[in-house]
Amino acid sequence: MRIEEDLKLDFKDVLIRPKRSTLTSRSEVDISRRFTFYHSSSTYHGIPVIASNMDTVGTFEMAHALAKHSLAVALHKHYQEPEIVEFFSGLPPEATVFYSMGITQSDYEKFQRVKDLAGDAIRYVCVDVANGYTKSLVDFLHKLRAAYPRITIMAGNVVTGEMTEELILDGADIVKVGIGPGSVCTTRKMTGVGYPQLSAIIECADAAHGIGGLICADGGCTSPGDIAKAFGGGADFVMLGGMLAGHDECAVEMVDHEGSRKVPFYGMSSRTAMDKHAGGVAHYRASEGKEVLLDYRGPVDNTLLEILGGVRSACTYVGARKLKELSKRTTFIRVARQLNEVFGAS
Protein backbone atom coordinates (compact mmCIF):
# COMPACT_ATOMS: atom_id res chain seq x y z
CA MET A 1 0.00 0.00 0.00
CA ARG A 2 1.15 3.53 -0.75
CA ILE A 3 -0.39 7.00 -0.68
CA GLU A 4 0.14 9.67 -3.32
CA GLU A 5 -0.14 13.12 -1.79
CA ASP A 6 0.18 15.19 -4.97
CA LEU A 7 -2.80 17.47 -5.57
CA LYS A 8 -5.37 16.06 -8.02
CA LEU A 9 -8.16 18.20 -9.45
CA ASP A 10 -11.65 17.84 -10.88
CA PHE A 11 -13.46 20.37 -13.07
CA LYS A 12 -15.22 21.90 -10.07
CA ASP A 13 -11.88 22.61 -8.37
CA VAL A 14 -10.71 25.22 -10.88
CA LEU A 15 -11.67 28.20 -13.01
CA ILE A 16 -9.89 29.52 -16.10
CA ARG A 17 -8.15 32.84 -15.54
CA PRO A 18 -9.06 35.49 -18.16
CA LYS A 19 -6.31 37.14 -20.22
CA ARG A 20 -6.00 40.12 -22.56
CA SER A 21 -7.40 39.46 -26.01
CA THR A 22 -7.50 41.10 -29.42
CA LEU A 23 -10.66 39.22 -30.36
CA THR A 24 -13.72 41.42 -30.82
CA SER A 25 -16.36 38.70 -31.26
CA ARG A 26 -16.97 35.04 -30.49
CA SER A 27 -17.58 34.58 -34.21
CA GLU A 28 -13.86 35.06 -34.82
CA VAL A 29 -13.01 31.86 -32.92
CA ASP A 30 -12.36 28.66 -34.87
CA ILE A 31 -13.29 25.70 -32.65
CA SER A 32 -12.50 23.03 -35.24
CA ARG A 33 -9.32 20.95 -35.16
CA ARG A 34 -7.20 19.14 -37.72
CA PHE A 35 -5.37 15.96 -36.78
CA THR A 36 -3.32 13.34 -38.55
CA PHE A 37 -3.56 10.11 -36.58
CA TYR A 38 -0.42 8.35 -35.43
CA HIS A 39 -1.13 4.80 -36.63
CA SER A 40 -3.79 5.10 -39.33
CA SER A 41 -2.16 8.20 -40.89
CA SER A 42 -5.66 9.38 -41.85
CA THR A 43 -6.69 12.99 -41.33
CA TYR A 44 -9.54 14.50 -39.36
CA HIS A 45 -11.15 17.93 -39.54
CA GLY A 46 -14.12 18.87 -37.40
CA ILE A 47 -15.25 20.07 -34.00
CA PRO A 48 -13.72 17.48 -31.63
CA VAL A 49 -16.79 16.70 -29.54
CA ILE A 50 -18.07 13.11 -29.59
CA ALA A 51 -21.44 11.81 -28.44
CA SER A 52 -20.88 8.88 -26.08
CA ASN A 53 -21.42 5.28 -27.14
CA MET A 54 -24.33 4.82 -24.73
CA ASP A 55 -27.54 3.40 -26.14
CA THR A 56 -29.41 6.51 -24.96
CA VAL A 57 -26.98 8.86 -26.75
CA GLY A 58 -24.89 7.13 -29.43
CA THR A 59 -27.69 6.59 -31.95
CA PHE A 60 -28.03 6.78 -35.73
CA GLU A 61 -30.31 9.78 -35.27
CA MET A 62 -27.73 11.57 -33.14
CA ALA A 63 -25.03 10.86 -35.73
CA HIS A 64 -27.03 12.55 -38.48
CA ALA A 65 -27.86 15.55 -36.26
CA LEU A 66 -24.30 16.10 -35.06
CA ALA A 67 -22.78 15.64 -38.51
CA LYS A 68 -24.55 18.84 -39.59
CA HIS A 69 -22.49 20.69 -36.99
CA SER A 70 -19.22 18.81 -37.75
CA LEU A 71 -19.38 16.90 -34.45
CA ALA A 72 -18.81 13.16 -34.07
CA VAL A 73 -20.72 10.22 -32.59
CA ALA A 74 -19.56 6.91 -31.16
CA LEU A 75 -22.42 4.54 -31.91
CA HIS A 76 -23.50 2.16 -29.18
CA LYS A 77 -22.54 -1.45 -29.83
CA HIS A 78 -25.97 -3.04 -29.62
CA TYR A 79 -27.23 -2.35 -33.13
CA GLN A 80 -27.78 -5.39 -35.34
CA GLU A 81 -25.41 -6.05 -38.23
CA PRO A 82 -27.77 -5.30 -41.16
CA GLU A 83 -28.78 -1.91 -39.77
CA ILE A 84 -25.15 -0.99 -39.08
CA VAL A 85 -24.15 -1.85 -42.64
CA GLU A 86 -27.08 0.12 -44.05
CA PHE A 87 -26.24 3.13 -41.87
CA PHE A 88 -22.55 3.28 -42.79
CA SER A 89 -23.24 2.61 -46.46
CA GLY A 90 -25.36 5.76 -46.59
CA LEU A 91 -23.04 7.91 -44.49
CA PRO A 92 -21.53 11.00 -46.16
CA PRO A 93 -17.71 10.86 -46.23
CA GLU A 94 -17.33 14.02 -44.15
CA ALA A 95 -19.23 12.52 -41.17
CA THR A 96 -17.16 11.22 -38.26
CA VAL A 97 -18.80 8.15 -36.75
CA PHE A 98 -17.09 5.54 -34.59
CA TYR A 99 -18.12 1.90 -34.74
CA SER A 100 -18.06 0.75 -31.09
CA MET A 101 -17.06 -2.69 -29.94
CA GLY A 102 -15.89 -4.70 -26.96
CA ILE A 103 -12.94 -7.09 -26.91
CA THR A 104 -14.56 -10.52 -27.02
CA GLN A 105 -14.12 -12.88 -29.95
CA SER A 106 -17.78 -12.40 -30.87
CA ASP A 107 -17.25 -8.61 -30.93
CA TYR A 108 -14.32 -9.07 -33.28
CA GLU A 109 -16.15 -11.46 -35.59
CA LYS A 110 -19.16 -9.13 -35.76
CA PHE A 111 -16.86 -6.28 -36.75
CA GLN A 112 -15.21 -8.40 -39.43
CA ARG A 113 -18.57 -9.18 -41.01
CA VAL A 114 -19.76 -5.58 -40.86
CA LYS A 115 -16.48 -4.22 -42.20
CA ASP A 116 -16.48 -6.67 -45.09
CA LEU A 117 -19.88 -5.37 -46.17
CA ALA A 118 -19.51 -1.66 -45.33
CA GLY A 119 -15.90 -1.41 -46.52
CA ASP A 120 -14.09 1.92 -46.25
CA ALA A 121 -17.24 3.63 -44.93
CA ILE A 122 -16.09 2.48 -41.47
CA ARG A 123 -13.01 4.55 -40.78
CA TYR A 124 -13.19 4.97 -37.00
CA VAL A 125 -13.48 2.33 -34.28
CA CYS A 126 -14.03 2.80 -30.54
CA VAL A 127 -12.74 -0.15 -28.50
CA ASP A 128 -14.54 0.34 -25.22
CA VAL A 129 -13.94 -1.45 -21.93
CA ALA A 130 -14.51 -0.20 -18.41
CA ASN A 131 -11.01 -1.18 -17.29
CA GLY A 132 -8.33 -0.26 -19.81
CA TYR A 133 -5.53 -1.73 -17.71
CA THR A 134 -6.06 -5.35 -18.72
CA LYS A 135 -3.74 -7.46 -20.83
CA SER A 136 -6.76 -8.60 -22.81
CA LEU A 137 -7.29 -5.06 -24.12
CA VAL A 138 -3.63 -4.80 -25.11
CA ASP A 139 -3.78 -8.13 -26.92
CA PHE A 140 -6.99 -7.13 -28.68
CA LEU A 141 -5.44 -3.87 -29.90
CA HIS A 142 -2.50 -5.76 -31.35
CA LYS A 143 -4.86 -8.06 -33.25
CA LEU A 144 -7.14 -5.28 -34.48
CA ARG A 145 -4.28 -3.02 -35.58
CA ALA A 146 -2.53 -5.83 -37.43
CA ALA A 147 -5.72 -6.73 -39.30
CA TYR A 148 -6.84 -3.16 -40.05
CA PRO A 149 -3.81 -0.84 -40.23
CA ARG A 150 -5.77 2.02 -41.83
CA ILE A 151 -8.55 2.16 -39.24
CA THR A 152 -8.39 4.98 -36.68
CA ILE A 153 -8.74 3.37 -33.27
CA MET A 154 -9.91 5.01 -30.04
CA ALA A 155 -9.49 2.79 -26.98
CA GLY A 156 -9.87 3.00 -23.22
CA ASN A 157 -10.64 3.80 -20.52
CA VAL A 158 -7.55 4.74 -18.51
CA VAL A 159 -6.53 7.63 -16.26
CA THR A 160 -2.73 7.50 -16.00
CA GLY A 161 0.07 8.59 -18.27
CA GLU A 162 1.96 5.32 -18.39
CA MET A 163 -1.08 3.32 -19.55
CA THR A 164 -1.94 6.04 -22.06
CA GLU A 165 1.51 5.61 -23.57
CA GLU A 166 1.16 1.84 -23.63
CA LEU A 167 -2.19 1.86 -25.44
CA ILE A 168 -0.82 4.25 -28.06
CA LEU A 169 2.25 2.09 -28.61
CA ASP A 170 -0.05 -0.95 -28.77
CA GLY A 171 -2.10 0.48 -31.63
CA ALA A 172 -4.51 3.17 -30.38
CA ASP A 173 -4.58 6.54 -32.13
CA ILE A 174 -6.78 8.08 -29.43
CA VAL A 175 -6.92 7.02 -25.78
CA LYS A 176 -10.18 7.46 -23.90
CA VAL A 177 -9.55 8.99 -20.46
CA GLY A 178 -11.88 8.71 -17.46
CA ILE A 179 -12.84 6.17 -14.81
CA GLY A 180 -15.97 6.99 -12.84
CA PRO A 181 -16.62 10.69 -13.60
CA GLY A 182 -19.87 10.23 -15.54
CA SER A 183 -23.14 11.43 -14.05
CA VAL A 184 -24.72 7.94 -14.19
CA CYS A 185 -21.56 6.00 -13.39
CA THR A 186 -21.16 4.58 -9.88
CA THR A 187 -17.75 2.91 -10.33
CA ARG A 188 -16.09 5.15 -7.75
CA LYS A 189 -18.80 4.42 -5.21
CA MET A 190 -18.94 0.68 -5.87
CA THR A 191 -15.21 -0.01 -6.23
CA GLY A 192 -13.36 2.91 -4.68
CA VAL A 193 -11.40 3.22 -7.92
CA GLY A 194 -11.05 6.44 -9.92
CA TYR A 195 -9.06 9.59 -10.58
CA PRO A 196 -10.09 13.27 -10.57
CA GLN A 197 -10.92 13.93 -14.19
CA LEU A 198 -9.08 17.19 -14.87
CA SER A 199 -5.81 15.86 -13.48
CA ALA A 200 -6.29 12.65 -15.47
CA ILE A 201 -6.72 14.72 -18.64
CA ILE A 202 -3.64 16.84 -17.96
CA GLU A 203 -1.41 13.87 -17.19
CA CYS A 204 -2.68 11.62 -19.98
CA ALA A 205 -2.53 14.42 -22.57
CA ASP A 206 1.07 15.12 -21.65
CA ALA A 207 1.93 11.44 -22.05
CA ALA A 208 0.04 11.00 -25.32
CA HIS A 209 1.32 14.14 -27.02
CA GLY A 210 4.90 13.20 -26.19
CA ILE A 211 4.67 10.16 -28.48
CA GLY A 212 2.33 11.49 -31.15
CA GLY A 213 -0.99 10.20 -29.81
CA LEU A 214 -4.22 11.92 -28.82
CA ILE A 215 -6.69 11.65 -25.95
CA CYS A 216 -10.45 11.90 -25.57
CA ALA A 217 -11.75 13.17 -22.23
CA ASP A 218 -14.66 10.87 -21.42
CA GLY A 219 -17.09 11.86 -18.68
CA GLY A 220 -17.58 14.48 -16.02
CA CYS A 221 -18.66 17.42 -18.17
CA THR A 222 -21.95 18.88 -16.99
CA SER A 223 -21.70 22.33 -18.59
CA PRO A 224 -19.98 24.06 -21.52
CA GLY A 225 -17.48 25.46 -19.03
CA ASP A 226 -16.37 21.93 -18.13
CA ILE A 227 -15.80 21.20 -21.82
CA ALA A 228 -13.64 24.32 -22.06
CA LYS A 229 -11.67 23.18 -19.01
CA ALA A 230 -11.13 19.77 -20.60
CA PHE A 231 -9.76 21.36 -23.76
CA GLY A 232 -7.76 23.78 -21.65
CA GLY A 233 -6.23 20.83 -19.82
CA GLY A 234 -5.01 19.32 -23.07
CA ALA A 235 -7.84 17.08 -24.29
CA ASP A 236 -7.92 16.66 -28.06
CA PHE A 237 -11.50 15.31 -28.07
CA VAL A 238 -14.25 15.51 -25.46
CA MET A 239 -16.92 12.82 -25.16
CA LEU A 240 -20.36 13.77 -23.83
CA GLY A 241 -23.13 11.59 -22.45
CA GLY A 242 -25.50 13.34 -20.06
CA MET A 243 -25.20 16.71 -21.78
CA LEU A 244 -26.60 15.20 -24.98
CA ALA A 245 -29.16 12.92 -23.33
CA GLY A 246 -32.89 13.61 -23.20
CA HIS A 247 -33.25 14.81 -26.80
CA ASP A 248 -35.34 13.58 -29.70
CA GLU A 249 -32.27 12.08 -31.35
CA CYS A 250 -31.64 9.77 -28.40
CA ALA A 251 -34.38 7.47 -29.72
CA VAL A 252 -35.60 6.66 -26.22
CA GLU A 253 -39.27 6.39 -25.36
CA MET A 254 -40.47 9.24 -23.16
CA VAL A 255 -42.34 8.57 -19.93
CA ASP A 256 -44.85 10.65 -18.02
CA HIS A 257 -43.62 11.44 -14.53
CA GLU A 258 -45.73 13.57 -12.21
CA GLY A 259 -47.31 15.39 -15.13
CA SER A 260 -44.12 16.18 -17.06
CA ARG A 261 -42.32 14.45 -19.90
CA LYS A 262 -39.14 12.65 -18.89
CA VAL A 263 -36.53 10.63 -20.76
CA PRO A 264 -34.63 7.69 -19.17
CA PHE A 265 -30.84 7.94 -19.05
CA TYR A 266 -28.63 5.23 -17.58
CA GLY A 267 -25.04 4.06 -17.42
CA MET A 268 -24.03 1.14 -19.61
CA SER A 269 -22.91 -0.80 -16.54
CA SER A 270 -26.22 -0.18 -14.78
CA ARG A 271 -28.72 -2.90 -13.97
CA THR A 272 -31.07 -1.34 -16.54
CA ALA A 273 -28.53 -1.68 -19.35
CA MET A 274 -27.47 -5.19 -18.36
CA ASP A 275 -31.07 -6.36 -18.08
CA LYS A 276 -31.68 -4.96 -21.56
CA HIS A 277 -28.58 -6.23 -23.34
CA ALA A 278 -27.08 -9.07 -21.28
CA GLY A 279 -30.04 -10.75 -19.66
CA GLY A 280 -29.27 -9.30 -16.23
CA VAL A 281 -26.31 -8.66 -13.93
CA ALA A 282 -23.90 -11.61 -13.89
CA HIS A 283 -23.54 -13.33 -10.51
CA TYR A 284 -19.83 -12.42 -10.27
CA ARG A 285 -20.23 -8.66 -10.66
CA ALA A 286 -22.19 -5.68 -9.39
CA SER A 287 -23.95 -2.89 -11.19
CA GLU A 288 -21.70 0.16 -11.59
CA GLY A 289 -24.26 2.56 -13.00
CA LYS A 290 -27.65 4.04 -12.26
CA GLU A 291 -30.77 5.17 -14.10
CA VAL A 292 -32.18 8.68 -13.87
CA LEU A 293 -35.09 10.51 -15.49
CA LEU A 294 -34.15 13.67 -17.36
CA ASP A 295 -36.43 16.45 -18.52
CA TYR A 296 -37.37 16.09 -22.18
CA ARG A 297 -35.20 18.58 -24.07
CA GLY A 298 -36.52 18.51 -27.64
CA PRO A 299 -34.18 18.58 -30.66
CA VAL A 300 -30.46 18.52 -29.89
CA ASP A 301 -29.65 21.53 -32.08
CA ASN A 302 -30.36 24.13 -29.40
CA THR A 303 -28.18 22.33 -26.88
CA LEU A 304 -25.37 22.14 -29.42
CA LEU A 305 -25.54 25.89 -29.96
CA GLU A 306 -25.18 26.43 -26.20
CA ILE A 307 -22.25 24.02 -25.97
CA LEU A 308 -20.36 25.43 -28.92
CA GLY A 309 -21.15 29.01 -27.92
CA GLY A 310 -19.78 28.40 -24.44
CA VAL A 311 -16.52 26.98 -25.79
CA ARG A 312 -16.13 29.89 -28.20
CA SER A 313 -16.75 32.32 -25.35
CA ALA A 314 -14.09 30.63 -23.21
CA CYS A 315 -11.62 31.08 -26.04
CA THR A 316 -12.38 34.81 -26.27
CA TYR A 317 -11.78 35.23 -22.52
CA VAL A 318 -8.20 34.00 -22.87
CA GLY A 319 -7.48 35.34 -26.35
CA ALA A 320 -7.42 31.99 -28.16
CA ARG A 321 -8.35 32.60 -31.79
CA LYS A 322 -8.35 28.84 -32.45
CA LEU A 323 -9.33 25.94 -30.21
CA LYS A 324 -5.83 24.48 -30.59
CA GLU A 325 -4.49 27.58 -28.78
CA LEU A 326 -6.75 27.20 -25.74
CA SER A 327 -4.51 24.84 -23.76
CA LYS A 328 -1.50 27.09 -24.38
CA ARG A 329 -3.39 30.11 -23.06
CA THR A 330 -5.09 28.42 -20.12
CA THR A 331 -4.12 29.17 -16.55
CA PHE A 332 -6.21 27.29 -14.02
CA ILE A 333 -7.02 28.92 -10.69
CA ARG A 334 -7.84 26.66 -7.78
CA VAL A 335 -11.07 27.64 -6.05
CA ALA A 336 -11.98 26.92 -2.44
CA ARG A 337 -14.85 24.49 -1.95
CA GLN A 338 -17.63 25.18 0.47
CA LEU A 339 -16.77 24.41 4.08
CA ASN A 340 -19.30 21.60 4.29
CA GLU A 341 -17.56 19.87 1.37
CA VAL A 342 -14.11 20.25 2.88
CA PHE A 343 -14.92 19.48 6.51
CA GLY A 344 -18.12 17.49 6.17
CA ALA A 345 -20.07 20.08 8.14
CA SER A 346 -23.83 19.68 8.24
Side-chain angles (χ1 to χ4, degrees), residues 23 27 33 86-87 94 120 186 197 258 280 282 287 295 308:
L23 293 167
S27 63
R33 292 295 310 267
E86 181 182 3
F87 169 79
E94 66 273 12
D120 292 339
T186 60
Q197 183 69 346
E258 298 178 351
S287 166
D295 290 333
L308 302 183

Side-chain angles (χ1 to χ4, degrees), residues 218-292:
D218 177 20
C221 291
T222 60
S223 66
D226 290 341
I227 301 171
K229 292 173 187 177
F231 285 128
D236 304 291
F237 293 85
V238 175
M239 180 171 278
L240 303 178
M243 289 186 68
L244 297 177
H247 295 93
D248 291 335
E249 294 78 5
C250 295
V252 180
E253 186 175 348
M254 285 186 292
V255 298
D256 183 77
H257 180 73
E258 298 178 351
S260 60
R261 290 187 293 175
K262 300 285 186 178
V263 181
F265 176 55
Y266 47 84
M268 294 308 291
S269 289
S270 66
R271 180 174 295 277
T272 302
M274 286 189 280
D275 285 345
K276 182 177 180 180
H277 300 297
V281 182
H283 72 277
Y284 54 83
R285 64 173 299 175
S287 166
E288 293 179 24
K290 62 182 179 180
E291 179 179 3
V292 297

